[in-house]
Amino acid sequence: MTAHSKRKPEPDHSESATGLNPGDQATPGTPGTGENVCAKCRGTGRVGNGSCEQCGGSGRVIEGIGGG
Ligand SMILES: [Zn+2]
């Protein structure tokens, strides 16, 4: 047995290359989706004393429109 430090696969919580926020369901411009006011911060981009993590502080998220 060697004492290698294990690297367990962890979900990547960092921003992806597309720049999506946690509240985004698709990249901007995706057919069938559109900008919507973030339900968590109600468009303010802030929750409490910090920025809203759902929309990344933008106050808006990309959501699917209608029932396709
Ligand atoms: Zn928000």
Side-chain angles (χ1 to χ4, degrees):
M1 281 288 196
T2 51
H4 285 298
S5 59
K6 284 194 290 188
R7 273 197 183 185
K8 54 184 175 183
E10 293 181 10
D12 186 13
H13 290 297
S14 63
E15 285 185 73
S16 63
T18 55
L20 286 180
N21 294 311
D24 291 334
Q25 295 181 354
T27 53
T30 302
T33 66
E35 254 189 9
N36 203 353
V37 175
C38 176
K40 184 164 185 173
C41 64
R42 299 186 181 279
T44 64
R46 301 186 66 82
V47 173
N49 292 324
S51 59
C52 176
E53 63 181 20
Q54 192 74 11
C55 60
S58 66
R60 298 181 183 191
V61 294
I62 307 299
E63 291 185 337
I65 298 174

